Amino acid sequence: MDFTYTDTQDMIRDTLSRFLADTYDFETRQKFIASDDGRDPAIWTALAQELGMLGASFSEDHGGLGGGALENAIIMEELGKVLGIEPYLPTVVIAGGALKAVGGAQADKYIPEIIAGNMIVAFAYAEPQGRYDLANLKTSAKKDAAGYVLNGHKSVVYAAPWASHLLVTARTGGGQRDREGVSLFLIDANLPGIVRRDYPTVDGSRASEIYFENVAIPAEALLGGEGAGLPLIEQIVDEATVAVCAEATGVMQKLHEGTLEYTQQRKQFGIPIAKFQVLQHRMVDMFMEVEQARSMTIMGTLKLGLSADERKAAVSAAKNKVARGAKFVGQNAIQTHGGIGITQELAIGHYFKRATMIEGQFGSADYHIDRFEQLTLAA
Amino acid sequence: MDMEFSPEDLAFQQEVRTFIAENYPADLRGKQDEGDELSKEDFLSWHRILYKKGWVAPAWPVEYGGTGWTPTQRFIFSEETARADCIRLMPFGLAMVGPVIYTFGTPEQKARFLPRILSGEDWWCQGYSEPGAGSDLASLRTVAVPDGSDYIVNGQKTWTTMAQHADWGFFLVRTDKDAKQQEGISFLLIDMKSPGITVRPIITLGGEHEVNEVFLEDVRVPQAQRVYEENKGWTCAKFLLAHERTGIAGVAASKRGVEKVKEIARTEVDGDKPLLQNAFFKRKIAELEIDLTALEFTELRSLAGPNAGKGPGPESSLLKIKGSEIQQRLTELTLEAVGHYGAPYFRGFGDGDNEHPIGPDYAHRAAPTYFNVRKTTIYGGSNEIQRNIIAKMVLGL
Ligand SMILES: Cc1cc2nc3c(=O)[nH]c(=O)nc-3n(C[C@H](O)[C@H](O)[C@H](O)COP(=O)(O)OP(=O)(O)OC[C@H]3O[C@@H](n4cnc5c(N)ncnc54)[C@H](O)[C@@H]3O)c2cc1C
Ligand SMILES: Cc1cc2nc3c(=O)[nH]c(=O)nc-3n(C[C@H](O)[C@H](O)[C@H](O)COP(=O)(O)OP(=O)(O)OC[C@H]3O[C@@H](n4cnc5c(N)ncnc54)[C@H](O)[C@@H]3O)c2cc1C
């Protein structure tokens, strides 16, 4: 057993964290999330071209560094530490993950483009009525002579305003909640008939409501088998879920460190408030949550390659634990800061916001404990 | 022992209900429900209606404009106004400085200030906290130095709620630097339009402008605006803090909150069922409702128990702790209930603000409200401080 990182993995972490320290301090981040565009495109280009970061989790055949989920976790954790809004998750982890899984000509075509930073992909999977159920789809893709015709409404699609491509889940058959009949498509984001309503999100990113109105998509856009896409979608969402757990670990670590630092400086009753035992114990509990989030993220990441059921149970265990930990650490970081914690000025509140959104991303604590129970406690 | 309302109480309840139904302004209906940021005028229009009816200050003694209601009637009144989602009146004049003035003020102060608090002509703010004096309020450093019949005040206050609207503020200032911490503090009423006062907004996590920094530079304040004796302001401060805490339990508003969450969970779909039928979610709502009932009956006991009428004691800390925690859990459940639609943001990006809600109407304030309501365990004396109070004053530790 070995939980140490390889030299390459250490190198990825160090390179990225140095780069982010130079380019992504809190004030700079606040400036570009408030800009019209909501981001600084130069960062993405630099991640791809200067650092080669976007290739870390792809095979050498495609021009990558030969890594996988662990590399994604390392990168997501570093992004978490700076509240990075870069669309690494949808582009590399999710779209990249889907392309790796299907392989062939599609992978050969798109993965080098992702690595080069030429492509940003948003994952359009959620629907207003769907909650966290990946199969609950009203969006339809009807086959015609040229390919498919796409109709439907996708909600809260993170990074969509920046995307060159969309990864879309849609029904090619079956009823609204059937496991069969679900397909996955990678399409150009600017096809005629795609209508977007863009908006900022509470955690500093950008997202859209996307409406597909008779969008004609080519047959080659289909990733994997027609109507049999759900297992693939579940797999990439599980990969995304542990990646978000990794991000959460970074966010939680900063919430905890920020709290330790603040309570040692802040004096009330003539002493640093860190001297009050009730706060000390709370910060110890926060520390334990951070460490366990890190452990569960590693556990979940390492189990991604197992059978579907083992993978799902592991990912759900990780997400449930991390979601509860993120809530505990986030709420207590704010509480321990007192009034200053609830202002826009300090970074701590923004870490809290991201931690809060992560709690629900790809399924809440309740959703995942339910899935865990179904898989592990079946009668 | 008896938990039924008397026939008189029931008649009173009906009277209040009818009054609200007939007099609550139509354009304010639902505003608080939606979680919209309320304007000064929103607060004042309901305030004036209650004032005209003589119901604006139920807790005050009759001689100063109170209603003479029993504690039960006051409870019914607050229950009914919350049930109808009436805008909550600003506490700074009615619940805080008003009682200080009628308890400790001079006849001139009473005559000058109390009627204007009741009518809503003066909007008050509370200048207690400072950057270095939060939980440790007694370490405040704003100073008032006598100069003829005035004081010259210098210092900085912070977290001053709604100071942007205020006509007057009640301030704790240091009048004797050499005295022990809690001594040497005085309680001053300051005209917020006095030269030397600057109010600067602090924007909170949901994007709201609710609190402010207040800078005082050589502000001239007549000594006649000091309440109670010089250097004995702590007496007023403590009296006021206990008053501040009682309203904080918020039982009636939380009851309404529970109904709102249930309604959302009935509308949201989870799989092929309403979210309200999800076993986990249902359990959390049920637990919340039970905890709220425990809080309610604890409050009722304190209203009707042997200490009733003696004013709020350290037990009020219990109501503050549990009430604020329940308010936070309600916002947690709401955010959870709205799923993905908790993410869109509506304020705080200037020109980029979203004009129209994304997703269902009840979703658009879920996250900002969740962030905002983290304040309830911090303000009015943090919950840690309240626990310290119970440990010391109730348990004798
Ligand atoms: C089943 C069992 C087996 C044991 N076996 C052994 C054994 O084989 N050999 C042996 O030598 N001992 C043994 N012990 C003793 C054990 O180590 C002591 O019980 C333990 O150290 C606590 O001491 P105490 O019981 O005197 O409690 P106390 O020290 O009196 O503590 C009482 C409470 O006060 C709390 N407390 C104390 N100090 C602080 C502080 N500074 N801050 C916050 N809270 C504080 C404690 O956490 C505890 O909750 C055993 C005890 C048990 C229950
Ligand atoms: C929304 C909002 C509105 C407010 N409105 C007003 C207003 O109108 N007027 C006004 O004067 N003030 C107002 N306040 C200030 C409020 O009363 C203070 O924020 C509060 O007293 C806490 O002080 P602090 O923020 O400086 O936190 P600190 O005192 O710095 O506390 C930081 C943390 O340390 C903990 N802590 C401190 N001391 C102890 C201890 N001895 N034991 C254990 N834990 C401890 C606290 O509980 C908290 O978790 C408002 C605050 C907020 C958030």
Side-chain angles (χ1 to χ4, degrees), chain A residues 131 202 209 266 268 335 366, chain B residues 131 136 284 336 341 343 377:
Chain A
R131 214 164 180 80
V202 294
E209 298 301 287
R266 170 74 174 169
Q268 290 287 279
Q335 180 67 22
D366 282 358
Chain B
D136 183 15
K284 282 191 279 199
E336 217 177 301
Y341 279 122
T377 50

Side-chain angles (χ1 to χ4, degrees), chain A residues 252-323:
Chain A
M252 289 161 73
Q253 184 183 323
K254 295 300 274 190
L255 282 162
H256 184 239
E257 283 173 5
T259 305
L260 291 181
E261 216 172 279
Y262 183 74
T263 54
Q264 283 166 290
Q265 281 166 19
R266 170 74 174 169
K267 282 191 178 156
Q268 290 287 279
F269 305 99
I271 52 170
I273 58 175
K275 293 283 171 220
F276 297 119
Q277 196 177 50
V278 66
L279 298 191
Q280 288 178 349
H281 285 188
R282 197 107 40 95
M283 288 187 276
V284 170
D285 290 340
M286 290 164 75
F287 164 75
M288 296 193 288
E289 290 302 326
V290 178
E291 285 308 312
Q292 292 179 93
R294 179 164 284 121
S295 306
M296 290 302 264
T297 300
I298 291 171
M299 183 282 297
T301 307
L302 294 177
K303 290 192 175 187
L304 281 173
L306 302 184
S307 75
D309 279 1
E310 288 171 288
R311 180 197 77 219
K312 286 181 190 175
V315 170
S316 281
K319 184 68 204 303
N320 173 271
K321 185 69 188 159
V322 170

Side-chain angles (χ1 to χ4, degrees), chain B residues 55-287:
Chain B
W55 284 1
V56 82
W60 289 23
V62 178
E63 54 174 314
Y64 299 119
T67 53
W69 290 341
T70 64
T72 309
Q73 285 177 311
R74 274 154 53 189
F75 174 81
I76 289 171
F77 180 74
S78 73
E79 179 96 345
E80 290 304 319
T81 46
R83 222 174 56 96
D85 194 38
C86 299
I87 286 178
R88 286 186 281 279
L89 302 183
M90 279 286 118
F92 302 105
L94 292 169
M96 296 179 171
V97 77
V100 169
I101 292 174
Y102 65 63
T103 308
F104 300 99
T106 61
E108 292 74 28
Q109 288 168 344
K110 292 179 195 178
R112 178 175 176 192
F113 293 110
L114 296 179
R116 296 172 65 91
I117 291 174
L118 291 172
S119 67
E121 276 166 283
D122 290 337
W123 181 292
W124 284 83
C125 67
Q126 177 186 27
Y128 273 28
S129 306
E130 297 183 8
S135 298
D136 183 15
L137 185 55
S139 68
L140 62 93
R141 292 163 62 176
T142 297
V143 289
V145 180
D147 182 63
S149 62
D150 295 341
Y151 288 112
I152 308 289
V153 182
N154 276 286
Q156 183 192 343
K157 295 290 174 179
T158 190
W159 312 125
T160 322
T161 300
M162 300 283 165
Q164 71 267 36
H165 301 319
D167 305 296
W168 284 85
F170 51 96
F171 286 76
L172 291 180
V173 297
R174 197 160 286 292
T175 35
D176 181 355
K177 281 202 231 173
D178 301 323
K180 260 184 33 196
Q181 261 204 348
Q182 265 108 340
E183 291 152 25
I185 290 173
S186 297
F187 190 101
L188 294 189
L189 311 178
I190 303 183
D191 184 340
M192 291 298 283
K193 288 177 196 74
S194 310
I197 293 189
T198 317
V199 176
R200 225 180 65 195
I202 300 175
I203 305 302
T204 49
L205 282 183
E208 300 87 356
H209 175 197
E210 212 172 277
V211 286
N212 303 272
E213 293 177 293
V214 177
F215 299 88
L216 302 113
E217 268 177 285
D218 294 328
V219 179
R220 199 162 265 286
V221 180
Q223 292 199 21
Q225 284 166 212
R226 187 193 69 234
V227 179
Y228 203 50
E229 292 165 43
E230 189 172 67
N231 298 331
K232 295 276 180 256
W234 195 249
T235 309
C236 305
K238 272 196 316 196
F239 169 87
L240 181 148
L241 283 176
H243 270 264
E244 177 177 1
R245 257 163 236 150
T246 41
I248 268 171
V251 169
S254 289
K255 274 188 179 172
R256 189 176 168 76
V258 170
E259 293 314 312
K260 281 188 234 170
V261 177
K262 282 186 187 163
E263 197 49 47
I264 293 172
R266 248 180 235 119
T267 313
E268 283 288 312
V269 183
D270 178 47
D272 56 356
K273 294 185 303 249
L275 178 62
L276 194 59
Q277 286 178 34
N278 175 301
F280 299 100
F281 202 80
K282 198 165 60 175
R283 172 65 52 87
K284 282 191 279 199
I285 290 187
E287 276 179 357

